[in-house]
Amino acid sequence: MSGALCIRYGRTLLLLCKKCGGTVRAPAPAFPALERPAALPPPAGSRPVPAAPTAGREIPVPQGLRFSAYRPAAFFAPARDVKAAASPRPPNFHGPIGKTAGQVYQTDVPDKRKARRLEQLFSEIGLEPLETTVAQDASGRVTATVCVPRLSFTADELKVITDEVSTLCRRTFAPAQCIHSGTVTKLLFRERPRFAVDCAVCALPAGGDISADAIQAFPDETGHFHAVLCDGMGTGKAAAVGGVLAASLTKELLHAGFESASTARLVNIALALKSDDESAVALDALSIDLYTGDAVLYKAGAAASFLLRDGKAAVYSGDTLPIGILGSVTGRRELLCLSPGDTAVLVSDGALAPGASWLRAQLVAHADDAPQKLADAVARAAREKQQDMPDDVTVMALRLRAVE
């Protein structure tokens, strides 16, 4: 037997088991004189069901009561059916969140031996650490953190400390990041990426100062560089709203750790909820791993992209639809392997107006130019080729280089 607390809500009795935390709902008596509900046959194998208790009185409840006939039929429904009925969310929303939730709970592997050595190092230089950690992630990259009482460090001091920590951990760290919080200063050491990206953009609106092409280019804390080009369908302010919204959301989601396909699905939902009017946006997203040079190119209704290498231009395109017009996303994911000197080029459909072959020849002709010069020359040449129907022209050039 286990104790239970009985609480009455109108015509319903709620039985709460103190031992196991289980709850059972039972119909309350219709009149105070009636202390027992109608007798019902108990399920096979269960103990006899006691009479309904008086509200507020503590009584012993058999373990089998939770399976008795007093339990409402809804409690016998499978958990997934009850949850689905109670959560009228768009089905496309659960997948991206679920994947990211799994990534959040992937913990790094701590290295306690190096953490103790790091603590000893800071003690020897007169900085008694409050906390030290050294951990390795799934990609084999090491991150070290040291918390000390609040202090200010010069650039030279951080360089010396970083060199010492790099020698101790046998890794090459980027200059330590100094984060102040209250009375504590945290020194964060991350491995220095092998590569860097030189990014250049040339954007030419169709008319006036407003372009429907929205651009985002940024590194994140995990050693990736992201480039986003969103082309709102049409020109002017109306098209610019969708493009800017899509680009801003894509940046936030990629920076938070979402992979490109999940990001596209979530942005698609946001565009659908923005207004009743259709808001179509072509999405180009390129994510480059600055440690390995591996890259992921995701396209949804976007114009062809190009990869310049050794004086040749490879074309990446596919039959996909823009986001914001359907309940699902039909995007395409390409895996690239970049080497120092390679240049990836993302363009809006306005740059392709003269034709893909023409644009490819222009890119090859300017392949040896600096990224900014390449983007300016190709974008202006494409604008000159446009005739009676000008369109926004955007060219984004990203060149990978080795970090010395």
Side-chain angles (χ1 to χ4, degrees):
M1 294 288 191
S2 61
L5 183 65
C6 177
I7 304 174
R8 179 167 180 162
Y9 294 93
R11 296 184 179 181
T12 302
L13 291 180
L14 179 63
L15 305 179
L16 175 63
C17 179
K18 287 186 175 181
K19 184 176 181 181
C20 65
T23 58
V24 177
R25 297 189 182 188
F31 302 96
L34 299 178
E35 291 294 325
R36 297 176 181 271
L40 295 174
S46 65
R47 299 181 182 181
V49 180
T54 303
R57 183 159 56 92
E58 185 171 334
I59 61 168
V61 180
Q63 185 71 14
L65 180 60
R66 71 178 66 181
F67 303 104
S68 69
Y70 295 116
R71 193 175 184 185
F75 282 79
F76 289 99
R80 61 180 181 273
D81 297 338
V82 176
K83 184 177 180 181
S87 303
R89 298 176 179 175
N92 289 342
F93 187 78
H94 297 281
I97 293 295
K99 290 182 180 179
T100 301
Q103 296 171 3
V104 169
Y105 288 100
Q106 290 179 354
T107 56
D108 296 339
V109 179
D111 191 329
K112 296 182 179 180
R113 183 177 63 86
K114 289 184 178 179
R116 288 193 297 268
R117 294 172 59 188
L118 189 59
E119 180 179 358
Q120 182 181 357
L121 171 65
F122 274 78
S123 297
E124 290 175 352
I125 62 177
L127 296 175
E128 289 296 334
L130 305 175
E131 181 183 4
T132 58
T133 61
V134 178
Q136 182 174 335
D137 63 15
S139 301
R141 299 164 193 162
V142 174
T143 302
T145 59
V146 179
C147 294
V148 297
R150 189 181 182 99
L151 289 171
S152 297
F153 297 90
T154 64
D156 292 337
E157 290 172 340
L158 288 177
K159 182 180 183 304
V160 173
I161 294 175
T162 300
D163 292 341
E164 292 293 334
V165 175
S166 298
T167 302
L168 186 147
C169 295
R170 297 181 180 179
R171 300 294 176 110
T172 303
F173 288 113
Q177 183 180 359
C178 194
I179 304 172
H180 300 288
S181 178
T183 60
V184 177
T185 296
K186 182 172 74 171
L187 298 177
L188 177 60
F189 302 88
R190 296 182 183 274
E191 286 195 51
R192 186 176 65 181
R194 297 173 55 205
F195 306 109
V197 173
D198 294 327
C199 180
V201 177
C202 182
L204 303 176
D209 298 329
I210 299 177
S211 172
D213 300 340
I215 306 157
Q216 296 286 350
F218 58 96
D220 65 15
E221 296 179 353
T222 64
H224 291 77
F225 188 92
H226 304 278
V228 178
L229 173 57
C230 292
D231 183 1
M233 297 294 100
T235 59
K237 294 183 179 180
V241 171
V244 171
L245 174 62
S248 300
L249 288 177
T250 301
K251 175 184 177 180
E252 296 299 327
L253 293 169
L254 290 175
H255 198 276
F258 284 77
E259 55 97 21
S260 52
S262 298
T263 295
R265 288 195 290 269
L266 292 175
V267 175
N268 184 66
I269 295 172
L271 291 176
L273 297 176
K274 179 176 68 70
S275 65
D276 295 334
D277 298 332
E278 185 178 280
S279 182
V281 176
L283 171 64
D284 246 336
L286 177 66
S287 300
I288 305 173
D289 189 327
L290 299 179
Y291 292 95
T292 63
D294 296 336
V296 177
L297 175 64
Y298 187 86
K299 307 182 74 65
S305 299
F306 302 84
L307 177 60
L308 302 179
R309 175 184 294 166
D310 298 331
K312 299 180 181 179
V315 184
Y316 295 91
S317 61
D319 296 330
T320 58
L321 295 176
I323 58 176
I325 58 175
L326 297 176
S328 59
V329 178
T330 58
R332 181 173 179 177
R333 184 170 177 264
E334 296 277 0
L335 300 179
L336 310 178
C337 185
L338 304 183
S339 301
D342 292 350
T343 304
V345 181
L346 307 182
V347 300
S348 63
D349 56 357
L352 280 171
S357 299
W358 175 88
L359 180 58
R360 186 175 182 178
Q362 288 292 316
L363 292 173
V364 170
H366 295 278
D368 295 331
D369 293 344
Q372 189 62 62
K373 185 176 180 181
L374 182 152
D376 291 342
V378 173
R380 298 186 186 283
R383 168 52 53 85
E384 293 175 359
K385 286 287 185 179
Q386 292 180 352
Q387 301 298 329
D388 299 333
M389 298 181 62
D391 193 5
D392 300 322
V393 176
T394 300
V395 178
M396 179 185 293
L398 304 105
R399 180 167 297 168
L400 192 72
R401 60 177 173 85
V403 176
E404 299 179 355

